[in-house]
Amino acid sequence: MALRNIQKRVLVPLTLTFLVLIISFLYSGYQIRQFDAKASLEYRHQAARSLYQTLVDQRLESMRGAAQFIAADQNLQRAMRAGDTDALMELAVPILRRMSLQQDIPLMYFHTVDGKNLLRVHRPFPFPHSMDRFTIRQAMETQRLSQGVELGPLGNFTLRVVYPWHSRGELIGFIELAQDVNRILKNLRDITDIEYILTIQKDLLDREKWEAGRKSLGLDSDWYKLRETVVIDQSIEIENFNMHRVTFSRKDVDTRISFGGRHFRAKNFPLLDAGGKTIGSFILLQDVTEDIDAFGTFTFKIVAFSLLLCSALFVFAFQILGRVDQQMASTRQQLLDQVDRATMANYRLEIEVSERKIAEEKLRRLNENLEERVAERTRRLEEVNRELESSHHKLELAYRELQDKQATILHQDKMACIGLLAAGVAHDINNPIGFVSSNLSELAEYVPRLVRFIQEQEEALRAAGAETDQLNLRRQELQLDFMLEDIDALIEESLEGTERVSNIVQNLRTFSRIDDSEAKITDLHECLDSTINITSHELRYKATVVRDYGDIPPILCRPQQLNQVFMNLLINAAQAIEEQGTVTVRTWTEGGFVHISIADTGCGIKEDVRKKIFEPFFTTKEVGKGTGLGLSIAYDIVKKHKGDIWVESTLGQGTTFTLKLPVGT
């Protein structure tokens, strides 16, 4: 009895455990298989949709090229301008035949400028004068090429390209090429081995026209097969029950159907026309029959192997339990002896536990004091850490301020040296150019007197009857007549050159302004003109300077410092232009402030660089070509004038720096 009780108590739970494990394994395998199948189906469906779009894009590209080729035909242009449908038909029919054979483009239309159909080449009669399609309307509105998939009046889904036809810069009409999407779907079926069903909403079709059109093409025209849609194309025939299931399934859920001994997973995608409107459904069906059969075979093998293993384990456990029962009697007595020994051990253990509790209480008290000391030390460390962080922050601020002042002093010293050099050069040039100009002016007065004397001398010689042949010959050898004619032009050009040198000297003196370090009422237009003249060597070969000056009042400022700002911005604008561009200088008054903007058509500034351009020593130029101080000093000068400066830039289009200075500074 005891043996049977042990076997019953052990073998029954063991058997149930094995059954649960087998069922769990089968269920997990089924779920994994379902997940893999769903992921595979999703991937295949996405690949099929991507391939469908690729095929559509390839066909559209081919049709665009064909439309461009047709539009370039001079004979077709003349016929279109004249509205000669017979000539258009004669010229277009051979082209349509070649396109139909080589590129599978069987449909061609010619439309007038107002969108009316002039000629339908593939079927001239009956003659539809008006075609209300999205692609034609879009091409008329935008005057640009329009393309996409559209629903025809007979329920056929057609790929269309409408090309605006221009001749001599004038729109003369529209060329439309089209082909049936069914050809693309057949290619998709051949490549992916995925079945498909194409449905259209009934409310978009005229039943009589649709049935007549399907009948004329020899296709099925069962209007009542589905409730809200009709099937316009399908690569596989399925029963009405399964057809209703796949057409009314959710867009994001795959549906499983079976018929004819085959199993399929179907997924429903919205079908959009060229205008983005949902007009039906595109259903893809993947044959999963082999996968299901393979899983069934796998399940059968697993169940058979599990049953065989359970039977072997059952027999083995039955024999082992018999031996266990025999050992239990002797083991029972041993256990009773051990219980007695364990009782004594428990008594001693209770004594040890009470002693241990006393020790733990003492240890707890020590830990409480230790935690308080640790907390106190932690608070002190946190306070010291905060003090260190505060000191570090102050040091960073002091270092940044020292760096800014160092950059400002360095640039001011550099500009002071340049100003002294410019003033010295201007002074040294101004003295010699002054007496050169004065001497040329005197020479311009002397030359007419010499010319009159020579003329009077010649007249006196002729009046005295003297021999003048030798003198005339000598006069020609020396080219005296040419010299007398050219000397006035030479003097005039020399005076113009000295005037230009004087203007350059004056601009140098104006720009340097050694004596203008103090604030004074200044005309900013004079500062801008002077700085533009000084930087003309940087600007003249790369940019055209446009001055768009507004009506601004003189302001109280330090002109020498503002000249530095203008010079830095103008040189940066010239360096930003790679080949040839425009630099526009604009001024205006707004809200009690004078605004100056300097805009270029250069390469522009990146967003991450734009945030750092006013920092000292930041530069994007090569080593040795920039110090990184120009814009930093400009920023400091504008701020010292209680103004503001900011930058706006677009990559590939240009950059604009804008200064805002108060009128009453």
Side-chain angles (χ1 to χ4, degrees):
M1 179 64 70
L3 178 61
R4 287 197 296 271
N5 289 337
I6 294 174
Q7 291 174 339
K8 182 177 180 181
R9 292 177 181 178
V10 175
L11 292 179
V12 172
L14 183 63
T15 303
L16 293 176
T17 301
F18 274 110
L19 289 176
V20 170
L21 289 175
I22 293 172
I23 294 172
S24 300
F25 178 77
L26 293 176
Y27 178 77
S28 300
Y30 175 77
Q31 291 297 326
I32 293 172
R33 182 254 177 194
Q34 290 293 102
F35 178 78
D36 292 341
K38 185 175 181 180
S40 174
L41 177 65
E42 183 68 22
Y43 174 77
R44 292 289 301 276
H45 285 172
Q46 291 297 333
R49 292 184 68 188
S50 299
L51 179 60
Y52 168 75
Q53 189 60 46
T54 301
L55 293 173
V56 169
D57 293 340
Q58 290 176 351
R59 292 297 181 96
L60 289 173
E61 181 66 26
S62 175
M63 294 167 70
R64 285 198 298 272
Q68 292 173 354
F69 170 77
I70 295 170
D73 192 307
Q74 299 293 329
N75 295 327
L76 286 171
Q77 291 181 11
R78 286 192 290 271
M80 187 66 185
R81 283 179 172 276
D84 189 347
T85 56
D86 294 335
L88 281 173
M89 189 71 182
E90 182 179 356
L91 294 169
V93 166
I95 298 175
L96 181 60
R97 288 174 181 168
R98 289 197 302 272
M99 290 193 303
S100 180
L101 292 174
Q102 298 174 4
Q103 297 177 283
D104 201 16
I105 303 175
L107 309 177
M108 180 189 296
Y109 305 81
F110 291 101
H111 304 291
T112 60
V113 176
D114 57 1
K116 294 183 178 179
N117 181 249
L118 180 64
L119 177 63
R120 185 170 61 181
V121 180
H122 57 281
R123 190 187 298 171
F125 302 100
F127 191 81
H129 288 284
S130 178
M131 295 183 177
D132 185 17
R133 288 197 288 264
F134 175 81
T135 50
I136 295 179
R137 294 197 306 272
Q138 187 182 49
M140 291 175 61
E141 293 174 358
T142 62
Q143 297 292 302
R144 298 174 65 182
L145 181 140
S146 178
Q147 62 185 21
V149 182
E150 288 192 280
L151 180 64
L154 301 181
N156 54 327
F157 214 43
T158 309
L159 196 63
R160 299 186 183 275
V161 170
V162 179
Y163 185 84
W165 195 358
H166 292 86
S167 176
R168 302 173 187 172
E170 177 187 359
L171 181 66
I172 62 174
F174 298 91
I175 301 172
E176 180 179 353
L177 301 177
Q179 60 178 234
D180 202 330
V181 174
N182 293 346
R183 292 182 172 88
I184 298 176
L185 295 176
K186 288 181 175 61
N187 290 340
L188 180 67
R189 167 68 178 84
D190 295 337
I191 295 172
T192 63
D193 198 26
I194 294 180
E195 309 292 347
Y196 66 89
I197 301 172
L198 207 62
T199 65
I200 300 297
Q201 297 176 3
K202 289 183 179 181
D203 57 0
L204 301 176
L205 300 173
D206 183 282
R207 175 187 169 187
E208 295 180 357
K209 291 183 179 180
W210 181 78
E211 290 179 342
R214 300 284 290 184
K215 186 176 181 180
S216 65
L217 296 175
L219 301 174
D220 177 37
S221 59
D222 188 354
W223 180 266
Y224 299 103
K225 189 173 186 178
L226 299 173
R227 187 172 60 197
E228 298 179 356
T229 59
V230 294
V231 178
I232 64 170
D233 192 17
Q234 59 188 93
S235 62
I236 186 172
E237 291 288 342
I238 64 177
E239 301 94 337
N240 287 350
F241 172 73
N242 287 321
M243 181 69 78
H244 279 83
R245 288 186 61 198
V246 298
T247 54
F248 286 100
S249 63
R250 288 170 52 189
K251 305 299 181 184
D252 56 347
V253 176
D254 59 291
T255 304
R256 286 172 288 181
I257 60 174
S258 301
F259 61 92
R262 299 171 66 189
H263 307 280
F264 293 87
R265 282 180 176 266
K267 195 159 187 179
N268 195 336
F269 299 99
L271 190 62
L272 308 178
D273 64 0
K277 178 182 177 182
T278 301
I279 60 173
S281 298
F282 182 31
I283 305 166
L284 297 176
L285 299 97
Q286 183 178 356
D287 191 342
V288 294
T289 304
E290 294 182 0
D291 295 340
I292 293 176
D293 293 342
F295 183 75
T297 302
F298 170 76
T299 303
F300 174 77
K301 292 179 179 179
I302 291 296
V303 171
F305 176 76
S306 300
L307 291 176
L308 180 62
L309 180 62
C310 288
S311 300
L313 290 174
F314 187 88
V315 173
F316 177 75
F318 187 84
Q319 293 176 353
I320 293 298
L321 290 174
R323 298 174 186 175
V324 169
D325 186 64
Q326 294 174 2
Q327 296 175 357
M328 287 182 64
S330 61
T331 304
R332 179 181 179 83
Q333 185 60 41
Q334 295 175 1
L335 288 174
L336 291 174
D337 297 338
Q338 291 178 359
V339 167
D340 293 336
R341 292 194 295 270
T343 302
M344 294 299 297
N346 286 335
Y347 175 74
R348 291 193 296 269
L349 183 61
E350 288 177 356
I351 296 173
E352 292 179 358
V353 167
S354 61
E355 293 176 351
R356 184 168 182 173
K357 287 182 178 179
I358 295 172
E360 288 179 351
E361 179 64 22
K362 294 179 179 179
L363 182 61
R364 185 184 62 80
R365 294 175 182 174
L366 291 175
N367 286 336
E368 289 178 355
N369 296 331
L370 180 61
E371 289 176 357
E372 292 178 357
R373 292 196 296 270
V374 170
E376 180 64 24
R377 183 62 59 86
T378 302
R379 284 195 297 272
R380 292 180 182 177
L381 289 174
E382 289 176 351
E383 291 176 358
V384 173
N385 189 36
R386 284 194 293 270
E387 292 176 358
L388 289 175
E389 289 180 354
S390 176
S391 300
H392 179 69
H393 181 66
K394 291 178 181 178
L395 286 174
E396 285 185 347
L397 293 177
Y399 175 73
R400 192 176 297 113
E401 183 178 358
L402 179 61
Q403 192 178 34
D404 293 342
K405 289 182 179 180
Q406 182 183 7
T408 303
I409 292 171
L410 178 62
H411 192 73
Q412 287 178 347
D413 182 66
K414 176 181 175 182
M415 293 307 297
C417 292
I418 293 174
L420 289 172
L421 178 62
V425 170
H427 179 73
D428 291 341
I429 293 175
N430 196 41
N431 290 335
I433 206 65
F435 60 74
V436 170
S437 177
S438 176
N439 292 343
L440 287 173
S441 299
E442 293 294 329
L443 182 61
E445 295 179 2
Y446 295 162
V447 167
R449 299 177 188 177
L450 289 174
V451 172
R452 285 197 302 273
F453 175 75
I454 293 172
Q455 291 174 350
E456 291 174 359
Q457 190 179 42
E458 288 179 354
E459 291 174 359
L461 289 173
R462 290 193 190 98
E467 287 292 333
T468 60
D469 293 340
Q470 188 67 26
L471 292 173
N472 290 333
L473 181 60
R474 186 60 177 167
R475 182 189 185 98
Q476 293 176 2
E477 291 177 354
L478 297 175
Q479 297 182 348
L480 186 59
D481 293 334
F482 173 75
M483 291 168 56
L484 294 174
E485 293 176 358
D486 192 44
I487 194 168
D488 291 335
L490 293 176
I491 293 172
E492 183 178 354
E493 291 176 358
S494 299
L495 287 172
E496 182 181 353
T498 57
E499 183 179 357
R500 290 173 61 185
V501 173
S502 297
N503 289 336
I504 293 173
V505 170
Q506 182 60 34
N507 288 330
L508 283 172
R509 290 171 61 86
T510 302
F511 178 78
S512 63
R513 293 184 186 268
I514 300 303
D515 55 343
D516 286 350
S517 60
E518 298 298 327
K520 59 185 291 186
I521 299 297
T522 305
D523 184 355
L524 292 182
H525 289 166
E526 292 182 0
C527 294
L528 287 169
D529 290 336
S530 174
T531 307
I532 290 171
N533 291 333
I534 290 299
T535 58
S536 61
H537 67 285
E538 287 281 348
L539 296 170
R540 69 164 64 96
Y541 301 111
K542 299 180 70 175
T544 300
V545 179
V546 177
R547 294 176 173 89
D548 184 9
Y549 291 167
D551 185 11
I552 63 173
I555 68 170
L556 181 64
C557 65
R558 292 176 174 82
Q560 182 186 11
Q561 294 183 0
L562 291 183
N563 283 345
Q564 295 178 25
V565 176
F566 299 150
M567 183 179 69
N568 288 337
L569 296 181
L570 288 169
I571 291 176
N572 286 347
Q575 292 174 350
I577 298 173
E578 296 180 357
E579 295 182 356
Q580 188 66 32
T582 302
V583 176
T584 303
V585 182
R586 180 170 169 256
T587 63
W588 71 96
T589 303
E590 182 180 347
F593 288 88
V594 172
H595 293 73
I596 305 100
S597 70
I598 298 177
D600 63 71
T601 58
C603 58
I605 305 174
K606 296 179 180 178
E607 178 66 26
D608 56 341
V609 175
R610 203 183 313 163
K611 298 176 181 178
K612 304 178 182 178
I613 58 174
F614 293 117
E615 296 180 3
F617 303 106
F618 176 79
T619 180
T620 59
K621 300 176 183 176
E622 299 178 1
V623 177
K625 292 189 177 181
T627 63
L629 296 175
L631 290 178
S632 173
I633 297 300
Y635 181 85
D636 289 341
I637 290 173
V638 173
K639 289 298 181 181
K640 288 178 181 178
H641 281 76
K642 299 181 181 179
D644 196 8
I645 180 173
W646 64 89
V647 61
E648 298 173 356
S649 182
T650 302
L651 283 178
Q653 297 184 11
T655 303
T656 301
F657 282 89
T658 304
L659 284 74
K660 184 173 77 171
L661 299 172
V663 175
T665 300

